[in-house]
Amino acid sequence: NAIRLLKGVESLDVDYQKGVVTIKYDPEVVSVQTIYKWLQMMIDLGIDYYDELKPMWEKEGDETQKIEAIWQRIKPVLLVQLTKLK
């Protein structure tokens, strides 16, 4: 969901076995450099918010609900960061 916040990103496919992420994007809308910057920003935010997000993930319960709770927490932060992306 986070990568799709970036305008021009059309789809994302993750192959966990191979450790490969394939991002389909419109080069008329977004550059590969901007996508790299956005990915790095998401990684940095994950590190910055790790202590807050880890307990949300580790608590008992449905995995889908945990993912949604984490997404609801981090999405507003990502939206702010998206406005800063150049």
Side-chain angles (χ1 to χ4, degrees):
N1 288 337
I3 188 68
R4 289 186 186 106
L5 291 174
L6 187 59
K7 240 185 188 119
V9 172
E10 298 169 355
S11 66
L12 176 81
D13 183 51
V14 180
D15 184 332
Y16 293 99
Q17 296 284 22
K18 294 180 182 175
V20 174
V21 175
T22 303
I23 300 171
K24 184 177 176 188
Y25 66 98
D26 182 347
E28 298 291 323
V29 177
V30 66
S31 70
V32 69
Q33 293 85 0
T34 301
I35 293 171
Y36 285 139
K37 287 179 188 176
W38 184 234
L39 290 169
Q40 186 61 55
M41 193 176 293
M42 289 187 298
I43 291 167
D44 292 345
L45 284 172
I47 292 167
D48 292 346
Y49 283 80
Y50 176 80
D51 290 337
E52 181 179 340
L53 299 176
K54 184 179 180 211
M56 296 171 76
W57 181 252
E58 290 178 337
K59 88 180 175 181
E60 293 294 320
D62 179 63
E63 204 167 283
T64 303
Q65 290 175 340
K66 292 190 286 186
I67 290 169
E68 183 60 27
I70 290 170
W71 175 241
Q72 291 305 315
R73 173 60 188 103
I74 204 72
K75 184 179 178 182
V77 178
L78 286 167
L79 289 171
V80 168
Q81 293 302 314
L82 190 57
T83 64
K84 298 176 184 178
L85 190 64
K86 299 286 178 205

